[in-house]
Amino acid sequence: MGTVQETQPGATLAEKVEWLIRNLWPTDAEPPRNNVETAGAIARATGEDISSTTVWKLRTGRQENPQLKTLTALATFFGVPIGYFGFPGEVGPIDEDLTLKALRRDVEQGVIRPEVLRALVDLSPEARWVVDEMILGAAAADRLRSSNSGPEGSPGGSLP
């Protein structure tokens, strides 16, 4: 599904849901083109009836306090602990684990070349700092571009 995008531990529920859709969409599920397909995939996999409107509300921040059964279905579908949706102070270690899981999957799928990660490990601290800054700058520019296009520019679209 592309490269890993940054989510801060204090991210909103909408940002967390969007991060999951972009980075941890199950490999055995067809990538969604809109919220209807997103809701359908989650419902088929979990047996929980989630509507496309609920997905739209979650992705756009219009539903900040969903039912526990909705969060449980999301956690089950994406293979994340329910704590991922918890309080910012408790989410840090979970975010790190999920980021590594998404990176590992991108390497396995050939989205990120293993030799690039190996080369990063071999760089001097000074060279690694330069690469870090370039990556962070590119990620910030990408987030800005994505936020200007809104949720409809993201996988799954914004249609209920």
Side-chain angles (χ1 to χ4, degrees):
M1 288 236 50
T3 59
V4 173
Q5 294 189 353
E6 184 177 342
T7 296
Q8 301 298 323
T12 65
L13 178 60
E15 291 167 332
K16 290 177 182 184
V17 169
E18 196 65 34
W19 189 90
L20 289 172
I21 291 170
R22 289 177 179 263
N23 297 295
L24 287 181
W25 189 264
T27 55
D28 60 346
E30 182 78 22
R33 292 175 297 210
N34 54 47
N35 291 326
V36 172
E37 291 179 2
T38 302
I42 294 169
R44 281 189 302 280
T46 66
E48 186 60 51
D49 186 25
I50 293 183
S51 72
S52 60
T53 302
T54 297
V55 171
W56 173 77
K57 286 179 179 179
L58 288 169
R59 293 179 80 179
T60 59
R62 287 172 174 83
Q63 185 170 15
E64 288 290 325
N65 192 16
Q67 295 181 0
L68 179 59
K69 66 181 186 171
T70 300
L71 293 178
T72 301
L74 291 172
T76 300
F77 182 74
F78 290 106
V80 302
I82 191 81
Y84 173 72
F85 302 107
F87 296 108
E90 300 171 3
V91 175
I94 295 171
D95 276 347
E96 291 173 14
D97 288 346
L98 294 179
T99 299
L100 291 174
K101 180 179 178 180
L103 277 170
R104 192 175 308 112
R105 188 171 83 177
D106 280 355
V107 168
E108 290 169 359
Q109 293 178 346
V111 175
I112 297 174
R113 298 184 326 229
E115 61 270 19
V116 171
L117 291 180
R118 283 189 214 103
L120 181 61
V121 170
D122 292 338
L123 290 175
S124 69
E126 296 82 14
R128 191 177 298 163
W129 179 84
V130 170
V131 172
D132 289 352
E133 292 301 311
M134 289 186 330
I135 291 171
L136 292 173
D142 192 47
R143 281 192 304 277
L144 181 61
R145 181 193 53 76
S146 294
S147 69
N148 288 338
S149 67
E152 56 277 347
S154 62
S158 66
L159 301 173

